[in-house]
């Protein structure tokens, strides 16, 4: 529903000033802010000026619209004649409509089908105007005289000065905001450079650690092999008979050298993986063949009187894709640990396939001493061993499980452990049935 507030006739150029004044008065009594009053007055006077260009007459109607949740001021400017296309008057009208679009909420008309131009601006919130108030406003406006044009020009100048001041203030705000942003950016860039620098230093430290490990390990390997070979010569009585005490001492030397070379080998493997110099070589693996080889390799470690070593292929007879060497190294580590920490009972190696995620799992379960919950994750850290009576009897390096974890990652899988102290432990290796090839770009 539309309720008329005021109609102003524009017959001469001078009347545009009057329309402007009326537009400001109407918008003021409807509760628009000072800035909106200027916007409305400017849009209406521009459109009216274009409408009466070249001596035409126009009518400007101010009305209140009740169509939406919030009331709107609607100003309609209808000219007595439509300017011919491409004329100066038409260009002026187009420019006025552009201004109105910018300053009002909506602007329509102005074409050949709809010559009257309608502009709308929504009233500020909590400014609903009832019928009685509207009638009062209309009466007040009718009774309010319009100031002379000089007064209106003064008013316009004041508005211009205020707008300029406001613009300058905004520009200053923008400038200080830009400066703040620049400072923040500079800070972020500095921080980023620092992080890069730290990352580079870490990378270098890591590289140096790997290089140091690998060099030292190489240096140790040769003398250790000589010690083992010489001990073996002595134990084989190549240099003559040994007294029982000498034999005991040489055996001790040989065992210690063997342990050390195991540690060196593990260190070398870890360093190579860390340096990214180890790559899995996937090929079809048959569980039965893998288990047969493992049984042969583990036989010397099994004391059949106390512990039985059982393999169960879980009925898996189709080959799967993996690096058999790495897989065997992980399982050997699990099995030798299980045998080391089990005094009586069994060590079972069971394969099982899980179709849904397409994985194959190898579980090594023992009936040994078990591991406390607090140590379960620690044992995957380098050089970690859990204090227990069997530990002292059977030496180790604390490098086997960390190596298993790295190897499993290289195979696209993972290792897990569950354990109950006094009952036993289960170490599992879960692998994808299809080897995950890194994506490579086709050239
Ligand atoms: P290592 O066996 O050479 O000491 P690992 O990294 O293979 O090194 O194992 C780390 C530690 O984890 C072992 O020293 C032992 O304390 C514990 N552990 C590993 N496997 C078992 C197991 N099956 N039962 C009990 N403890 C185990």
């Amino acid at each position: 529903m539309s309720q008329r507030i005021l109609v102003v006739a524009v017959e001469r150029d001078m009347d545009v000033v009057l329309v402007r004044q009326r537009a400001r008065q109407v918008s003021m009594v409807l509760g628009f802010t000072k800035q909106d009053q200027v916007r409305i007055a400017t849009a209406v006077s521009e459109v009216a000026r274009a409408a009466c260009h070249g001596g035409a007459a126009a009518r400007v109607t101010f009305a209140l619209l009740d169509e939406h949740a919030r009331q709107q001021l609607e100003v309609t400017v209808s000219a007595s004649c439509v300017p011919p296309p491409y004329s100066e008057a038409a260009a002026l009208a187009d420019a006025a409509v552009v201004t109105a679009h910018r300053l009002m909420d909506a602007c329509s008309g102005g074409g050949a089908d709809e010559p009257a131009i309608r502009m709308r601006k929504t009233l500020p919130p909590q400014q609903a105007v009832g019928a009685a108030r509207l009638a009062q406003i209309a009466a007040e406006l009718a009774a309010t005289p319009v100031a002379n044009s000089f007064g209106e020009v003064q008013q316009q100048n004041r508005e211009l000065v205020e707008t300029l001041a406001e613009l300058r203030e905004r520009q200053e705000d923008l400038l200080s905001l830009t400066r703040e942003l620049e400072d923040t950016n500079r800070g972020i860039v500095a921080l980023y450079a620092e992080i890069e620098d730290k990352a580079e230093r870490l990378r270098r430290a890591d590289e140096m650690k790997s290089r140091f490990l690998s060099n030292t390990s190489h240096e140790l390997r040769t003398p250790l092999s000589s010690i083992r070979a010489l001990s073996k010569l002595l134990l084989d009585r190549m240099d003559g008979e040994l007294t029982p005490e000498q034999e005991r001492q040489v055996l001790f030397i040989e065992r210690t050298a063997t342990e050390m070379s195991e540690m060196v080998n593990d260190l070398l493997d870890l360093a190579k993986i860390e340096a990214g110099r180890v790559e899995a070589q996937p090929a079809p693996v048959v569980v039965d063949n893998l288990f047969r080889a493992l049984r042969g390799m583990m036989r010397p470690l099994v004391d059949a009187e106390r512990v039985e070593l059982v393999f169960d292929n879980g009925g898996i007879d189709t080959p799967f894709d993996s690096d058999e060497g790495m897989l065997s190294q992980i399982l050997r580590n699990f099995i030798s640990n299980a045998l080391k920490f089990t005094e009586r009972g069994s060590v079972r190696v069971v394969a099982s396939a899980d179709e849904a995620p397409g994985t194959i799992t190898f579980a090594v379960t023992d009936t040994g001493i078990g591991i406390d919950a607090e140590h379960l994750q620690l044992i995957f850290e380098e050089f970690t061993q859990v204090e227990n009576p069997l530990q002292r009897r059977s030496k180790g390096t604390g490098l086997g499980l960390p190596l298993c974890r790295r190897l499993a990652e290289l195979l696209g899988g993972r290792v897990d452990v569950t354990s109950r102290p006094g009952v036993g432990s289960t170490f599992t290796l879960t692998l994808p049935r299809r080897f995950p090839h890194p994506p490579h770009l086709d050239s």
Side-chain angles (χ1 to χ4, degrees):
M1 199 186 61
S2 158
Q3 292 159 281
R4 186 179 292 183
I5 306 172
L6 189 72
V7 180
V8 183
V10 187
E11 277 150 11
R12 297 167 297 144
D13 279 356
M14 286 302 286
D15 292 344
V16 173
V17 177
L18 187 132
V19 167
R20 183 183 174 90
Q21 221 173 337
R22 283 305 200 188
R24 181 150 12 78
Q25 286 171 350
V26 170
S27 47
M28 188 172 67
V29 288
L30 290 179
F32 281 102
T33 61
K34 196 121 192 357
Q35 282 174 349
D36 274 346
Q37 290 171 30
V38 175
R39 285 189 187 110
I40 295 166
T42 308
V44 173
S45 65
E46 279 301 288
V47 174
R49 193 158 63 87
C52 66
H53 180 78
R59 263 164 70 91
V60 181
T61 311
F62 295 89
L64 194 66
L65 275 189
D66 252 330
E67 286 173 1
H68 302 282
R70 259 160 63 191
Q71 290 173 310
Q72 289 180 307
L73 164 67
E74 184 183 59
V75 187
T76 312
V77 179
S78 35
S80 60
C81 59
V82 180
Y86 309 116
S87 62
E88 191 191 337
L92 209 66
D94 286 347
V97 167
V98 170
T99 307
H101 263 294
R102 214 176 284 152
L103 299 175
M104 303 293 277
D105 291 347
C107 176
S108 61
D113 312 337
E114 170 75 56
I117 295 173
R118 280 170 206 282
M119 295 164 271
R120 290 182 184 180
K121 190 134 192 116
T122 305
L123 259 60
Q126 277 104 40
Q127 281 296 344
V129 179
R133 171 83 186 114
L134 197 68
Q136 196 188 350
I137 287 174
E140 270 173 26
L141 283 170
T144 312
V146 278
N148 60 29
S149 51
F150 180 65
E152 180 56 29
V153 171
Q154 269 186 329
Q155 171 71 24
Q156 220 171 323
N157 270 354
R158 261 200 303 278
E159 284 168 4
L160 204 65
V161 169
E162 275 170 28
T163 313
L164 280 175
E166 204 181 300
L167 257 178
R168 193 164 38 228
E169 222 171 273
R170 288 222 185 138
Q171 211 171 356
E172 273 164 20
D173 281 356
L174 257 177
L175 263 176
S176 80
L177 198 72
T178 314
R179 243 174 265 132
E180 234 172 82
L181 263 175
E182 270 175 7
D183 285 353
T184 315
N185 270 359
R186 224 169 286 141
I188 291 175
V189 169
L191 273 178
Y192 192 73
E194 222 173 280
I195 291 174
E196 271 281 281
D197 188 46
K198 289 227 167 94
E200 179 54 36
R201 258 187 275 164
L202 269 177
R203 251 196 309 273
R204 243 180 294 145
D206 210 46
E207 220 179 272
M208 271 167 63
K209 186 191 90 180
S210 297
R211 211 174 315 145
F212 170 78
L213 275 180
S214 122
N215 288 347
T216 325
S217 307
H218 268 302
E219 294 301 319
L220 286 172
R221 253 185 172 185
T222 325
L224 281 172
S225 308
S226 312
I227 296 174
R228 286 172 69 195
L230 287 173
S231 318
K232 195 157 175 359
L233 279 180
L234 288 172
L235 289 172
D236 287 347
R237 311 295 196 267
M238 302 295 250
D239 265 348
E241 204 39 66
L242 297 175
T243 65
E245 181 54 24
Q246 281 172 332
E247 181 175 8
R248 206 178 61 81
Q249 287 169 0
V250 177
L251 269 172
F252 180 74
I253 293 171
E254 199 242 14
R255 212 174 51 231
T256 312
T258 307
E259 268 166 21
M260 276 192 79
S261 55
E262 270 168 22
M263 185 197 287
V264 166
N265 285 343
D266 284 355
L267 272 177
L268 208 55
D269 282 352
L270 272 170
K272 271 200 259 169
I273 292 177
E274 271 183 21
R277 288 213 303 271
V278 180
E279 248 183 63
Q281 307 287 341
V285 179
V286 178
V287 177
D288 255 344
N289 295 349
L290 172 74
F291 279 4
R292 221 172 289 144
L294 280 173
R295 191 180 286 120
M297 282 186 261
M298 291 293 134
R299 189 163 294 136
L301 302 182
V302 183
D303 178 354
E305 298 270 295
R306 297 185 297 110
V307 179
E308 67 167 339
L309 177 60
V310 184
F311 287 88
D312 174 357
N313 67 14
I316 303 171
D317 45 17
T318 44
F320 67 100
D321 250 358
S322 202
D323 182 313
E324 188 162 347
M326 291 187 183
L327 168 56
S328 164
Q329 195 174 351
I330 299 171
L331 292 181
R332 275 202 313 272
N333 237 312
F334 283 175
I335 300 170
S336 68
N337 274 348
L339 291 170
K340 220 159 45 171
F341 297 106
T342 304
E343 284 200 288
R344 206 155 289 282
S346 65
V347 172
R348 304 178 65 82
V349 186
V350 181
S352 60
D354 204 339
E355 296 303 334
T359 54
I360 185 157
T361 299
F362 295 91
V364 178
T365 303
D366 62 52
T367 55
I369 57 172
I371 305 160
D372 275 336
E374 59 178 310
H375 295 128
L376 272 187
Q377 285 314 310
L378 284 181
I379 54 174
F380 289 100
E381 313 263 322
E382 276 99 349
F383 299 109
T384 304
Q385 293 185 315
V386 184
E387 202 40 53
N388 62 57
L390 293 186
Q391 195 71 262
R392 251 162 273 143
R393 200 180 64 195
S394 58
K395 292 273 188 294
T397 61
L399 289 172
L401 290 176
L403 190 57
C404 287
R405 189 159 68 174
R406 299 281 162 84
L407 288 169
E409 280 164 10
L410 284 179
L411 294 177
R414 58 165 209 279
V415 291
D416 292 296
V417 58
T418 54
S419 185
R420 277 181 64 192
V423 178
S425 315
T426 299
F427 283 80
T428 52
L429 165 68
T430 308
L431 295 177
R433 285 187 76 104
R434 305 188 110 254
F435 193 79
H437 287 282
H440 54 84
L441 303 170
D442 294 326
S443 51

